[in-house]
Amino acid sequence: LLLAGGVGAVYVMRQPKLSGEVSVDGPSANTYVLSGRKAWTIGSDSKARIVLSGEGVAPRHAELRPHGHGVDLVDLVGDATGQPTVDGAEDLFSARPLSLEVRGENERNFQPVYNRHTLQHGDVVRLGPHTLTYHNLAQSMQSFDSGDSDSGNTDGYYDDGL
């Protein structure tokens, strides 16, 4: 966006938009198409954009925030050491740790999220009894278009040899 006037031009940067899709498995199974410029709250509060139930889920547990051309997963419950910082979280924390963990599409082990993590296509997030899988449709198509197939075909189409 360019605003012109007077002596020079002024550039105004717009807040990036959320994009992609989140698939939730577990007691609150659903699929959400991310959109807009505002953060999406994840938690047990009925006002959250993605409502999850079950032990180990805080009312406002995490957020998905737009970041450049991607999405950041932000921990709203713990501090840099993973200790609870939200009022009432201590009670939930003693019953079952309020954790937020992520693993890449091709990784075996989950790693804790301390503060924030930029999500990549195929990342799996574990929050309480739920797993959430992030799909960045642009990254998915980029991988497909780059010819990452065993056939050696690089034009983005699969050739089954028939």
Side-chain angles (χ1 to χ4, degrees):
L1 178 64
L2 173 66
L3 300 175
V7 177
V10 177
Y11 291 93
V12 178
M13 297 298 289
R14 293 187 124 193
Q15 172 74 16
K17 288 184 177 183
L18 281 172
S19 63
E21 182 178 275
V22 173
S23 301
V24 178
D25 292 328
S28 303
N30 205 344
T31 298
Y32 300 87
V33 176
L34 303 176
S35 63
R37 289 187 165 85
K38 293 184 179 181
W40 282 43
T41 305
I42 304 170
S44 60
D45 189 324
S46 62
K47 295 177 186 171
R49 293 291 297 266
I50 300 177
V51 178
L52 304 177
S53 60
E55 280 188 40
V57 180
R60 291 179 34 88
H61 202 116
E63 279 185 342
L64 297 172
R65 294 183 186 164
H67 175 85
H69 295 289
V71 174
D72 278 350
L73 174 68
V74 179
D75 182 7
L76 299 177
V77 176
D79 62 13
T81 65
Q83 295 302 310
T85 58
V86 174
D87 290 340
E90 293 80 13
D91 297 334
L92 290 169
F93 194 77
S94 62
R96 179 176 179 169
L98 292 176
S99 64
L100 185 62
E101 301 173 308
V102 67
R103 68 173 169 82
E105 182 177 23
N106 297 316
E107 296 174 5
R108 296 180 74 180
N109 298 321
F110 283 90
Q111 301 297 320
V113 173
Y114 299 119
N115 195 14
R116 77 176 54 230
H117 172 83
T118 300
L119 294 172
Q120 302 296 317
H121 175 72
D123 277 359
V124 178
V125 176
R126 185 163 55 191
L127 195 158
H130 305 277
T131 57
L132 295 79
T133 304
Y134 173 69
H135 304 280
N136 180 322
L137 304 178
Q139 285 180 342
S140 173
M141 291 305 294
Q142 217 172 23
S143 174
F144 180 74
D145 287 341
S146 70
D148 292 344
S149 69
D150 293 336
S151 69
N153 185 354
T154 58
D155 64 4
Y157 297 96
Y158 177 71
D159 179 7
D160 61 6
L162 296 178

